């Protein structure tokens, strides 16, 4: 992460610009962030933590596996099972190695 320290007289429209609304308000699926950089990702995670308090009960149970295995990527809110299922399908369909950043 890069931190810039500017003096007030150095600030102008070329150095400071408004954030995109998706970065300010947050999104459920971070791949839909209009600005995909570390600050936007960290802010979005912070907003999600404040909203949900990272409630994890039931996240990895068999009901979630069954639900996400029956849907295509993007049909339901983002979930690790949706990503894993899509990678597995692509692995078999394309016969290519898959790399996932979570």
């Amino acid at each position: 992460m890069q931190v810039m320290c500017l003096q007030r007289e150095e600030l102008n429209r070329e150095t400071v610009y408004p954030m995109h609304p998706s970065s300010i308000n947050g999104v459920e699926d971070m791949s839909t962030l209009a600005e995909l950089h570390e600050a936007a990702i960290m802010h979005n995670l912070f907003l999600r933590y404040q909203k949900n308090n990272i409630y994890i009960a039931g996240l990895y149970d068999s009901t979630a596996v069954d639900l996400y295995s029956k849907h295509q990527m993007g049909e339901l809110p983002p979930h690790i099972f949706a990503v894993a299922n899509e990678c597995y399908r692509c692995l078999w369909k394309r016969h290519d190695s898959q790399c996932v950043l979570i």
Side-chain angles (χ1 to χ4, degrees), residues 14-73:
E14 287 76 39
T15 58
V16 178
Y17 55 93
M19 290 172 58
H20 190 273
S22 69
S23 295
I24 296 170
N25 303 324
V27 292
E28 191 170 274
D29 182 350
M30 286 201 284
S31 68
T32 62
L33 280 171
E35 301 171 321
L36 195 56
H37 51 74
E38 187 175 0
I41 293 169
M42 294 302 290
H43 182 68
N44 195 63
L45 288 173
F46 176 74
L47 291 175
R48 289 169 69 178
Y49 177 77
Q50 282 188 323
K51 178 181 173 186
N52 300 323
N53 279 336
I54 309 296
Y55 180 69
I56 296 182
L59 186 65
Y60 301 112
D61 62 11
S62 60
T63 306
V65 174
D66 291 339
L67 177 65
Y68 280 89
S69 67
K70 296 175 184 168
H71 291 88
Q72 296 293 321
M73 184 79 142

